[in-house]
Amino acid sequence: MLTGNMLILIFLLSLGALFFLILKLKLEPFLALIGVALGTALVIGIPVAEVPGIVAGGFGATLTGVGILIGLGVVFGQFLAASGAIERIAQAVLRVFGVQKSPAGLALTGTAVSIPVFFDAAFVILSGLIKSLSKKTGISIVSFVTALGVGLIVSHSMIAPTPGPLVVAENTGSDLGLFILYGIICAIPATLVGGYLYGMFIGKHVKSGVTTDETEEAAATVEEAAPRKQISTGLSFAMLGLPIVLILVNTISKLFVPEGVFASTLGFIGDKNVALFISVIVAIIVLQPYIRTPKQELYTEAINSAGLIILVTGAGGAFGAVINQSGIGDHLIATMQSWSIPVLLLAFIFSQILRASLGSATVALVTTSSIMGPLAVDLGVAPVLLGLAICAGAIGLSLPNDSGFWVVNKFGKLTIPQTLKAWTVGGFLAGLTALTMVYILSLFSGVLPGL
Protein backbone atom coordinates (compact mmCIF):
# COMPACT_ATOMS: atom_id res chain seq x y z
CA MET A 1 0.00 0.00 0.00
CA LEU A 2 1.06 3.59 -0.62
CA THR A 3 2.24 5.69 2.31
CA GLY A 4 3.10 9.25 3.26
CA ASN A 5 2.44 12.18 0.98
CA MET A 6 1.39 9.89 -1.87
CA LEU A 7 -1.69 9.07 0.21
CA ILE A 8 -2.55 12.76 0.41
CA LEU A 9 -2.05 13.11 -3.35
CA ILE A 10 -4.32 10.14 -4.07
CA PHE A 11 -6.86 11.55 -1.64
CA LEU A 12 -6.89 14.93 -3.42
CA LEU A 13 -7.12 13.24 -6.80
CA SER A 14 -10.03 11.13 -5.59
CA LEU A 15 -11.86 14.28 -4.52
CA GLY A 16 -11.09 15.83 -7.90
CA ALA A 17 -12.48 12.76 -9.63
CA LEU A 18 -15.60 12.97 -7.49
CA PHE A 19 -16.14 16.61 -8.45
CA PHE A 20 -15.57 15.83 -12.13
CA LEU A 21 -18.03 12.94 -12.19
CA ILE A 22 -20.80 14.86 -10.43
CA LEU A 23 -20.33 18.34 -11.86
CA LYS A 24 -19.01 17.71 -15.37
CA LEU A 25 -20.45 14.33 -16.28
CA LYS A 26 -23.63 14.86 -14.23
CA LEU A 27 -23.33 11.40 -12.68
CA GLU A 28 -25.57 10.67 -9.70
CA PRO A 29 -23.68 11.24 -6.41
CA PHE A 30 -24.42 7.66 -5.30
CA LEU A 31 -22.77 6.14 -8.36
CA ALA A 32 -19.92 8.64 -8.26
CA LEU A 33 -19.16 7.96 -4.58
CA ILE A 34 -19.19 4.17 -5.03
CA GLY A 35 -17.06 4.38 -8.17
CA VAL A 36 -14.49 6.69 -6.58
CA ALA A 37 -14.40 4.54 -3.44
CA LEU A 38 -13.62 1.43 -5.50
CA GLY A 39 -11.07 3.24 -7.67
CA THR A 40 -9.32 4.88 -4.71
CA ALA A 41 -9.04 1.57 -2.88
CA LEU A 42 -7.41 -0.08 -5.91
CA VAL A 43 -5.00 2.81 -6.59
CA ILE A 44 -3.91 2.97 -2.94
CA GLY A 45 -3.01 -0.70 -3.05
CA ILE A 46 -5.63 -2.34 -0.88
CA PRO A 47 -5.72 -6.05 -1.88
CA VAL A 48 -8.30 -6.61 -4.60
CA ALA A 49 -10.05 -9.35 -2.65
CA GLU A 50 -10.60 -6.98 0.31
CA VAL A 51 -11.94 -3.97 -1.61
CA PRO A 52 -15.59 -5.06 -2.03
CA GLY A 53 -15.83 -5.96 1.66
CA ILE A 54 -14.44 -2.61 2.79
CA VAL A 55 -16.77 -0.65 0.51
CA ALA A 56 -19.83 -2.70 1.47
CA GLY A 57 -18.84 -2.60 5.14
CA GLY A 58 -18.55 1.19 5.12
CA PHE A 59 -21.90 1.47 3.38
CA GLY A 60 -23.61 -0.83 5.86
CA ALA A 61 -21.96 0.64 8.95
CA THR A 62 -23.18 4.11 8.04
CA LEU A 63 -26.75 2.98 7.44
CA THR A 64 -26.74 0.99 10.68
CA GLY A 65 -26.71 4.30 12.51
CA VAL A 66 -28.99 6.40 10.31
CA GLY A 67 -30.78 4.29 7.70
CA ILE A 68 -33.96 3.63 9.69
CA LEU A 69 -33.99 7.16 11.02
CA ILE A 70 -33.81 8.74 7.57
CA GLY A 71 -36.79 6.72 6.37
CA LEU A 72 -38.83 7.52 9.47
CA GLY A 73 -37.87 11.20 9.31
CA VAL A 74 -39.11 11.58 5.75
CA VAL A 75 -42.45 9.92 6.58
CA PHE A 76 -42.82 12.15 9.65
CA GLY A 77 -42.18 15.27 7.56
CA GLN A 78 -44.67 14.18 4.92
CA PHE A 79 -47.47 13.91 7.47
CA LEU A 80 -46.63 17.25 9.10
CA ALA A 81 -46.69 18.99 5.74
CA ALA A 82 -49.87 17.30 4.52
CA SER A 83 -51.76 18.15 7.72
CA GLY A 84 -51.03 21.87 7.45
CA ALA A 85 -48.98 21.84 10.67
CA ILE A 86 -45.99 23.48 8.97
CA GLU A 87 -47.99 26.47 7.74
CA ARG A 88 -49.73 26.81 11.12
CA ILE A 89 -46.36 26.99 12.89
CA ALA A 90 -45.17 29.65 10.46
CA GLN A 91 -48.27 31.78 11.00
CA ALA A 92 -47.97 31.54 14.78
CA VAL A 93 -44.33 32.59 14.87
CA LEU A 94 -45.07 35.54 12.61
CA ARG A 95 -47.87 36.71 14.90
CA VAL A 96 -45.45 36.71 17.81
CA PHE A 97 -42.82 38.77 15.99
CA GLY A 98 -45.21 41.29 14.46
CA VAL A 99 -45.32 42.73 10.98
CA GLN A 100 -42.05 44.67 10.81
CA LYS A 101 -39.96 41.91 12.38
CA SER A 102 -41.78 39.22 10.45
CA PRO A 103 -38.61 38.27 8.47
CA ALA A 104 -36.96 37.36 11.79
CA GLY A 105 -39.97 35.26 12.67
CA LEU A 106 -39.89 33.56 9.28
CA ALA A 107 -36.16 32.85 9.63
CA LEU A 108 -36.69 31.15 12.99
CA THR A 109 -39.71 29.35 11.59
CA GLY A 110 -37.48 27.94 8.87
CA THR A 111 -35.00 26.82 11.50
CA ALA A 112 -37.75 24.86 13.29
CA VAL A 113 -39.47 23.52 10.20
CA SER A 114 -36.36 22.11 8.50
CA ILE A 115 -35.66 19.77 11.42
CA PRO A 116 -38.26 17.19 10.32
CA VAL A 117 -38.89 18.45 6.75
CA PHE A 118 -36.27 18.53 4.02
CA PHE A 119 -35.18 21.91 2.72
CA ASP A 120 -36.65 21.74 -0.78
CA ALA A 121 -40.09 20.60 0.39
CA ALA A 122 -40.25 23.14 3.23
CA PHE A 123 -39.32 26.05 0.97
CA VAL A 124 -41.92 25.10 -1.61
CA ILE A 125 -44.60 24.71 1.09
CA LEU A 126 -43.94 28.16 2.55
CA SER A 127 -43.14 30.05 -0.66
CA GLY A 128 -46.74 31.23 -1.13
CA LEU A 129 -46.80 32.54 2.43
CA ILE A 130 -43.70 34.70 2.01
CA LYS A 131 -45.14 36.34 -1.09
CA SER A 132 -48.32 37.21 0.77
CA LEU A 133 -46.33 38.63 3.70
CA SER A 134 -44.29 40.81 1.39
CA LYS A 135 -47.42 42.35 -0.04
CA LYS A 136 -48.94 42.88 3.41
CA THR A 137 -45.86 44.37 5.10
CA GLY A 138 -44.26 46.25 2.22
CA ILE A 139 -40.95 44.56 3.03
CA SER A 140 -39.03 43.33 -0.01
CA ILE A 141 -39.72 39.74 -0.94
CA VAL A 142 -35.94 39.31 -1.18
CA SER A 143 -35.75 39.81 2.59
CA PHE A 144 -38.32 37.07 3.16
CA VAL A 145 -36.70 34.69 0.67
CA THR A 146 -33.31 35.17 2.35
CA ALA A 147 -34.77 34.79 5.84
CA LEU A 148 -36.67 31.61 5.06
CA GLY A 149 -33.95 30.02 2.91
CA VAL A 150 -31.16 30.65 5.42
CA GLY A 151 -33.32 29.55 8.35
CA LEU A 152 -34.10 26.29 6.56
CA ILE A 153 -30.54 25.52 5.49
CA VAL A 154 -29.09 26.27 8.94
CA SER A 155 -31.16 23.60 10.69
CA HIS A 156 -30.86 21.31 7.65
CA SER A 157 -27.09 21.41 8.16
CA MET A 158 -26.81 21.68 11.96
CA ILE A 159 -29.73 20.20 13.87
CA ALA A 160 -30.35 16.44 14.10
CA PRO A 161 -32.41 14.36 13.45
CA THR A 162 -32.06 15.96 10.02
CA PRO A 163 -30.07 13.26 8.11
CA GLY A 164 -26.83 15.22 7.53
CA PRO A 165 -26.22 16.32 11.13
CA LEU A 166 -27.40 12.90 12.28
CA VAL A 167 -24.64 11.22 10.26
CA VAL A 168 -22.11 13.74 11.60
CA ALA A 169 -23.11 12.96 15.20
CA GLU A 170 -22.80 9.24 14.45
CA ASN A 171 -19.44 9.51 12.67
CA THR A 172 -17.89 11.71 15.37
CA GLY A 173 -19.21 9.54 18.20
CA SER A 174 -21.13 12.46 19.73
CA ASP A 175 -23.99 12.08 22.18
CA LEU A 176 -27.03 12.81 20.00
CA GLY A 177 -28.99 14.73 22.63
CA LEU A 178 -26.07 17.04 23.39
CA PHE A 179 -25.39 17.41 19.68
CA ILE A 180 -28.97 18.58 19.17
CA LEU A 181 -28.78 20.98 22.13
CA TYR A 182 -25.52 22.63 21.09
CA GLY A 183 -26.61 22.59 17.45
CA ILE A 184 -29.67 24.67 18.37
CA ILE A 185 -27.50 27.07 20.38
CA CYS A 186 -25.29 27.64 17.31
CA ALA A 187 -28.16 27.68 14.81
CA ILE A 188 -30.26 30.52 16.28
CA PRO A 189 -27.57 33.27 16.04
CA ALA A 190 -26.55 31.96 12.60
CA THR A 191 -30.14 32.22 11.40
CA LEU A 192 -30.62 35.74 12.75
CA VAL A 193 -27.36 37.06 11.29
CA GLY A 194 -27.45 35.40 7.87
CA GLY A 195 -31.21 35.22 7.46
CA TYR A 196 -32.73 38.23 9.22
CA LEU A 197 -30.07 40.95 9.51
CA TYR A 198 -28.46 40.29 6.15
CA GLY A 199 -31.86 39.63 4.61
CA MET A 200 -33.13 43.06 5.65
CA PHE A 201 -29.94 44.64 4.30
CA ILE A 202 -29.97 42.91 0.92
CA GLY A 203 -33.71 43.46 0.56
CA LYS A 204 -33.08 47.20 0.43
CA HIS A 205 -30.51 46.82 -2.35
CA VAL A 206 -32.01 44.05 -4.51
CA LYS A 207 -35.52 44.41 -5.91
CA SER A 208 -37.58 41.36 -6.86
CA GLY A 209 -39.57 41.27 -10.09
CA VAL A 210 -42.63 39.61 -8.50
CA THR A 211 -45.86 41.37 -9.47
CA THR A 212 -48.97 41.89 -7.37
CA ASP A 213 -50.92 39.45 -9.53
CA GLU A 214 -48.30 36.75 -8.97
CA THR A 215 -48.39 37.36 -5.23
CA GLU A 216 -52.17 37.11 -5.08
CA GLU A 217 -52.12 33.98 -7.24
CA ALA A 218 -49.59 32.33 -4.92
CA ALA A 219 -51.66 33.18 -1.87
CA ALA A 220 -54.77 31.76 -3.52
CA THR A 221 -52.89 28.56 -4.30
CA VAL A 222 -51.92 28.15 -0.65
CA GLU A 223 -55.51 28.72 0.41
CA GLU A 224 -56.86 26.17 -2.09
CA ALA A 225 -54.34 23.59 -0.86
CA ALA A 226 -55.46 23.89 2.76
CA PRO A 227 -56.45 20.61 4.47
CA ARG A 228 -60.13 19.78 5.00
CA LYS A 229 -59.89 20.52 8.74
CA GLN A 230 -57.66 23.20 10.26
CA ILE A 231 -55.08 21.88 12.72
CA SER A 232 -54.52 23.90 15.90
CA THR A 233 -51.31 25.80 16.59
CA GLY A 234 -50.69 23.94 19.83
CA LEU A 235 -50.98 20.53 18.21
CA SER A 236 -48.71 21.63 15.36
CA PHE A 237 -45.94 22.65 17.75
CA ALA A 238 -46.47 19.53 19.86
CA MET A 239 -46.04 17.26 16.86
CA LEU A 240 -42.97 19.14 15.62
CA GLY A 241 -41.30 18.93 19.02
CA LEU A 242 -42.23 15.34 19.90
CA PRO A 243 -39.18 13.50 18.46
CA ILE A 244 -36.80 16.17 19.76
CA VAL A 245 -38.25 15.95 23.27
CA LEU A 246 -38.10 12.14 23.30
CA ILE A 247 -34.45 12.11 22.23
CA LEU A 248 -33.54 14.78 24.77
CA VAL A 249 -35.26 12.74 27.50
CA ASN A 250 -32.75 9.98 26.83
CA THR A 251 -29.82 12.36 27.19
CA ILE A 252 -31.17 13.95 30.38
CA SER A 253 -31.86 10.54 31.90
CA LYS A 254 -28.22 9.53 31.36
CA LEU A 255 -27.08 12.60 33.28
CA PHE A 256 -29.54 12.67 36.17
CA VAL A 257 -31.47 9.37 36.50
CA PRO A 258 -29.82 6.50 38.46
CA GLU A 259 -29.36 3.23 36.61
CA GLY A 260 -32.34 0.89 36.83
CA VAL A 261 -35.54 -0.15 35.11
CA PHE A 262 -36.85 3.42 34.88
CA ALA A 263 -33.61 4.72 33.36
CA SER A 264 -33.55 1.80 30.91
CA THR A 265 -37.13 2.52 29.88
CA LEU A 266 -36.32 6.18 29.26
CA GLY A 267 -33.25 5.13 27.31
CA PHE A 268 -35.35 2.83 25.12
CA ILE A 269 -38.03 5.45 24.45
CA GLY A 270 -35.40 8.12 23.80
CA ASP A 271 -33.35 6.01 21.41
CA LYS A 272 -33.24 7.95 18.16
CA ASN A 273 -34.88 5.20 16.08
CA VAL A 274 -37.54 4.39 18.66
CA ALA A 275 -38.26 8.08 19.36
CA LEU A 276 -38.90 8.86 15.72
CA PHE A 277 -40.87 5.65 15.20
CA ILE A 278 -43.15 6.63 18.09
CA SER A 279 -43.48 10.11 16.60
CA VAL A 280 -44.44 8.70 13.18
CA ILE A 281 -47.11 6.43 14.70
CA VAL A 282 -48.50 9.33 16.73
CA ALA A 283 -48.51 11.54 13.63
CA ILE A 284 -50.35 8.93 11.55
CA ILE A 285 -53.07 8.62 14.21
CA VAL A 286 -53.37 12.19 15.46
CA LEU A 287 -53.01 14.04 12.15
CA GLN A 288 -55.37 11.86 10.12
CA PRO A 289 -58.41 14.21 10.50
CA TYR A 290 -56.36 17.08 9.04
CA ILE A 291 -54.99 15.28 5.98
CA ARG A 292 -56.68 15.28 2.58
CA THR A 293 -54.12 13.11 0.76
CA PRO A 294 -54.52 9.30 1.08
CA LYS A 295 -52.03 7.78 3.51
CA GLN A 296 -50.71 5.33 0.95
CA GLU A 297 -49.80 8.21 -1.36
CA LEU A 298 -47.90 9.92 1.47
CA TYR A 299 -46.00 6.70 2.22
CA THR A 300 -45.07 6.30 -1.45
CA GLU A 301 -43.81 9.88 -1.75
CA ALA A 302 -41.80 9.52 1.45
CA ILE A 303 -40.19 6.26 0.36
CA ASN A 304 -39.27 7.73 -3.03
CA SER A 305 -37.66 10.74 -1.33
CA ALA A 306 -35.83 8.66 1.29
CA GLY A 307 -34.42 6.10 -1.14
CA LEU A 308 -31.86 8.30 -2.88
CA ILE A 309 -30.87 10.00 0.38
CA ILE A 310 -30.17 6.64 1.98
CA LEU A 311 -28.11 5.51 -1.02
CA VAL A 312 -26.02 8.69 -1.05
CA THR A 313 -25.52 8.53 2.71
CA GLY A 314 -24.34 4.92 2.56
CA ALA A 315 -22.07 5.62 -0.42
CA GLY A 316 -20.45 8.50 1.46
CA GLY A 317 -19.77 6.08 4.31
CA ALA A 318 -18.23 3.63 1.84
CA PHE A 319 -15.87 6.30 0.51
CA GLY A 320 -14.97 7.31 4.07
CA ALA A 321 -14.25 3.67 4.97
CA VAL A 322 -11.76 3.38 2.10
CA ILE A 323 -10.04 6.60 3.18
CA ASN A 324 -9.76 5.40 6.77
CA GLN A 325 -8.64 1.87 5.80
CA SER A 326 -5.87 3.27 3.62
CA GLY A 327 -4.11 5.00 6.51
CA ILE A 328 -4.73 8.46 5.10
CA GLY A 329 -6.33 9.38 8.41
CA ASP A 330 -3.20 8.56 10.39
CA HIS A 331 -1.06 10.54 7.97
CA LEU A 332 -3.49 13.47 8.11
CA ILE A 333 -3.17 13.50 11.90
CA ALA A 334 0.59 13.74 11.70
CA THR A 335 0.39 16.37 8.95
CA MET A 336 -2.29 18.55 10.57
CA GLN A 337 -0.42 18.62 13.86
CA SER A 338 2.30 20.58 12.08
CA TRP A 339 -0.16 23.03 10.51
CA SER A 340 -0.98 26.36 12.07
CA ILE A 341 -4.68 26.03 11.10
CA PRO A 342 -6.82 25.16 14.14
CA VAL A 343 -8.64 21.83 13.89
CA LEU A 344 -12.13 23.34 14.08
CA LEU A 345 -11.34 25.85 11.33
CA LEU A 346 -9.85 23.07 9.20
CA ALA A 347 -13.02 20.99 9.58
CA PHE A 348 -15.11 24.02 8.61
CA ILE A 349 -13.00 24.75 5.52
CA PHE A 350 -12.99 21.12 4.39
CA SER A 351 -16.77 20.87 4.70
CA GLN A 352 -17.23 24.25 3.00
CA ILE A 353 -15.09 23.22 0.03
CA LEU A 354 -17.11 20.03 -0.44
CA ARG A 355 -20.39 21.95 -0.05
CA ALA A 356 -19.44 24.46 -2.75
CA SER A 357 -17.96 21.88 -5.09
CA LEU A 358 -20.54 19.11 -4.85
CA GLY A 359 -23.61 21.26 -4.27
CA SER A 360 -25.02 19.03 -1.54
CA ALA A 361 -24.89 19.85 2.15
CA THR A 362 -25.69 16.23 3.03
CA VAL A 363 -22.91 14.79 0.86
CA ALA A 364 -20.46 17.35 2.29
CA LEU A 365 -21.46 16.44 5.85
CA VAL A 366 -21.28 12.69 5.25
CA THR A 367 -17.96 12.82 3.42
CA THR A 368 -16.21 15.24 5.80
CA SER A 369 -17.41 13.49 8.96
CA SER A 370 -16.53 10.06 7.54
CA ILE A 371 -12.94 11.23 7.10
CA MET A 372 -12.44 13.50 10.11
CA GLY A 373 -14.89 11.98 12.59
CA PRO A 374 -12.68 9.07 13.67
CA LEU A 375 -9.79 11.51 14.22
CA ALA A 376 -11.49 13.62 16.90
CA VAL A 377 -9.80 12.03 19.89
CA ASP A 378 -6.35 11.99 18.27
CA LEU A 379 -6.75 15.63 17.25
CA GLY A 380 -7.48 16.59 20.85
CA VAL A 381 -10.89 18.13 20.25
CA ALA A 382 -14.31 17.25 21.67
CA PRO A 383 -16.29 15.17 19.12
CA VAL A 384 -19.33 17.46 19.53
CA LEU A 385 -17.30 20.56 18.68
CA LEU A 386 -15.65 18.89 15.68
CA GLY A 387 -19.06 17.76 14.43
CA LEU A 388 -20.61 21.21 14.82
CA ALA A 389 -17.69 22.82 12.96
CA ILE A 390 -18.26 20.38 10.09
CA CYS A 391 -21.97 21.22 10.10
CA ALA A 392 -21.24 24.97 10.06
CA GLY A 393 -19.13 24.50 6.94
CA ALA A 394 -22.00 22.88 5.06
CA ILE A 395 -24.39 25.80 5.54
CA GLY A 396 -23.12 28.32 3.03
CA LEU A 397 -21.82 28.72 -0.51
CA SER A 398 -24.81 27.21 -2.28
CA LEU A 399 -24.05 27.54 -5.99
CA PRO A 400 -25.94 26.62 -9.19
CA ASN A 401 -24.78 23.00 -8.81
CA ASP A 402 -27.05 22.78 -5.73
CA SER A 403 -30.72 21.84 -6.20
CA GLY A 404 -31.59 24.16 -3.32
CA PHE A 405 -30.18 27.08 -5.30
CA TRP A 406 -32.77 26.51 -8.01
CA VAL A 407 -35.61 26.00 -5.55
CA VAL A 408 -34.87 29.42 -4.04
CA ASN A 409 -34.40 30.92 -7.49
CA LYS A 410 -37.62 29.51 -8.94
CA PHE A 411 -40.03 29.85 -6.03
CA GLY A 412 -38.53 33.14 -4.86
CA LYS A 413 -38.90 34.59 -8.36
CA LEU A 414 -35.32 35.87 -8.31
CA THR A 415 -32.76 36.14 -11.07
CA ILE A 416 -29.53 34.15 -10.79
CA PRO A 417 -27.45 37.20 -9.68
CA GLN A 418 -30.14 38.08 -7.13
CA THR A 419 -30.13 34.51 -5.83
CA LEU A 420 -26.35 34.60 -5.42
CA LYS A 421 -26.48 37.91 -3.54
CA ALA A 422 -29.38 36.94 -1.28
CA TRP A 423 -29.25 33.18 -0.73
CA THR A 424 -25.59 32.25 -1.34
CA VAL A 425 -24.03 35.15 0.56
CA GLY A 426 -26.61 34.94 3.35
CA GLY A 427 -25.84 31.26 3.86
CA PHE A 428 -22.10 31.94 3.93
CA LEU A 429 -22.54 34.58 6.64
CA ALA A 430 -24.73 32.17 8.60
CA GLY A 431 -22.02 29.51 8.38
CA LEU A 432 -19.37 31.90 9.69
CA THR A 433 -21.66 32.88 12.55
CA ALA A 434 -22.25 29.23 13.41
CA LEU A 435 -18.48 28.59 13.44
CA THR A 436 -18.04 31.57 15.76
CA MET A 437 -20.60 30.04 18.13
CA VAL A 438 -18.70 26.74 18.03
CA TYR A 439 -15.55 28.56 19.13
CA ILE A 440 -17.48 30.30 21.91
CA LEU A 441 -18.73 26.90 23.10
CA SER A 442 -15.14 25.60 23.03
CA LEU A 443 -14.25 28.19 25.69
CA PHE A 444 -16.44 26.19 28.07
CA SER A 445 -14.65 22.87 27.46
CA GLY A 446 -14.57 20.92 30.69
CA VAL A 447 -17.43 22.95 32.14
CA LEU A 448 -20.39 22.03 29.92
CA PRO A 449 -21.20 18.31 29.45
CA GLY A 450 -19.76 16.75 26.31
CA LEU A 451 -17.30 19.57 25.58
Side-chain angles (χ1 to χ4, degrees):
M1 284 179 54
L2 298 176
T3 59
N5 290 330
M6 282 301 297
L7 285 175
I8 301 296
L9 177 61
I10 296 301
F11 171 58
L12 294 176
L13 290 175
S14 68
L15 289 179
L18 192 61
F19 299 158
F20 177 78
L21 290 173
I22 296 175
L23 299 180
K24 188 69 175 178
L25 300 185
K26 308 299 181 184
L27 193 64
E28 282 293 332
F30 165 68
L31 296 176
L33 283 165
I34 293 295
V36 170
L38 291 170
T40 301
L42 293 174
V43 172
I44 286 173
I46 296 176
V48 175
E50 298 179 11
V51 171
I54 293 173
V55 172
F59 185 96
T62 300
L63 295 186
T64 297
V66 300
I68 294 175
L69 205 58
I70 290 173
L72 291 172
V74 175
V75 174
F76 185 63
Q78 284 287 109
F79 274 83
L80 284 183
S83 68
I86 299 302
E87 292 180 27
R88 180 67 70 178
I89 292 169
Q91 293 165 2
V93 172
L94 295 175
R95 283 197 300 270
V96 170
F97 280 82
V99 172
Q100 293 307 314
K101 286 188 169 50
S102 54
L106 190 59
L108 294 176
T109 298
T111 304
V113 166
S114 199
I115 296 172
V117 181
F118 288 108
F119 172 87
D120 292 6
F123 195 94
V124 171
I125 290 168
L126 297 175
S127 61
L129 179 61
I130 62 178
K131 295 175 178 68
S132 299
L133 286 169
S134 178
K135 178 186 176 185
K136 179 179 178 181
T137 62
I139 297 174
S140 170
I141 196 172
V142 175
S143 296
F144 285 106
V145 170
T146 305
L148 177 60
V150 171
L152 290 169
I153 196 62
V154 166
S155 56
H156 179 83
S157 302
M158 291 210 72
I159 305 177
T162 306
L166 188 68
V167 174
V168 173
E170 186 77 19
N171 287 344
T172 56
S174 303
D175 178 274
L176 183 58
L178 292 176
F179 198 84
I180 291 173
L181 176 62
Y182 294 135
I184 293 173
I185 291 174
C186 294
I188 292 176
T191 295
L192 293 176
V193 171
Y196 171 55
L197 295 179
Y198 177 74
M200 293 299 291
F201 167 80
I202 197 65
K204 297 176 181 177
H205 295 81
V206 175
K207 302 301 181 182
S208 172
V210 179
T211 65
T212 301
D213 291 340
E214 289 174 326
T215 300
E216 292 173 345
E217 181 181 349
T221 301
V222 172
E223 184 178 353
E224 291 172 3
R228 61 171 179 258
K229 181 180 178 181
Q230 292 296 312
I231 189 171
S232 69
T233 301
L235 180 57
S236 299
F237 275 103
M239 292 306 305
L240 179 66
L242 180 59
I244 305 299
V245 170
L246 290 178
I247 293 173
L248 289 176
V249 163
N250 181 27
T251 300
I252 294 172
S253 69
K254 290 179 181 179
L255 296 174
F256 302 108
V257 179
E259 292 186 7
V261 176
F262 181 62
S264 299
T265 301
L266 292 177
F268 173 76
I269 294 174
D271 174 82
K272 56 192 178 184
N273 292 314
V274 176
L276 199 49
F277 177 75
I278 293 172
S279 300
V280 168
I281 297 301
V282 172
I284 292 173
I285 297 172
V286 174
L287 299 180
Q288 182 58 40
Y290 310 99
I291 297 176
R292 175 182 293 171
T293 307
K295 285 190 292 186
Q296 192 59 47
E297 185 175 328
L298 293 178
Y299 296 145
T300 301
E301 291 177 3
I303 291 171
N304 289 339
S305 299
L308 185 57
I309 297 170
I310 290 174
L311 289 176
V312 171
T313 300
F319 180 54
V322 169
I323 297 300
N324 291 323
Q325 180 71 21
S326 69
I328 290 176
D330 294 333
H331 186 69
L332 279 174
I333 292 173
T335 302
M336 285 189 290
Q337 286 175 342
S338 64
W339 292 358
S340 58
I341 301 178
V343 173
L344 296 180
L345 179 59
L346 183 66
F348 173 86
I349 293 173
F350 192 7
S351 181
Q352 184 106 109
I353 291 173
L354 288 176
R355 169 75 165 104
S357 302
L358 299 179
S360 169
T362 300
V363 173
L365 291 172
V366 171
T367 305
T368 305
S369 62
S370 295
I371 296 169
M372 297 196 69
L375 313 181
V377 175
D378 294 321
L379 292 172
V381 62
V384 172
L385 293 176
L386 178 64
L388 291 175
I390 293 171
C391 289
I395 293 174
L397 290 187
S398 172
L399 300 174
N401 59 327
D402 173 20
S403 63
F405 180 95
W406 297 107
V407 169
V408 173
N409 173 266
K410 179 179 179 181
F411 288 91
K413 305 291 185 181
L414 304 181
T415 65
I416 291 178
Q418 288 170 345
T419 308
L420 287 169
K421 293 176 182 177
W423 158 245
T424 305
V425 176
F428 178 71
L429 293 176
L432 289 180
T433 305
L435 179 64
T436 301
M437 291 302 301
V438 173
Y439 271 103
I440 291 175
L441 285 175
S442 70
L443 299 177
F444 297 92
S445 296
V447 178
L448 295 174
L451 301 183

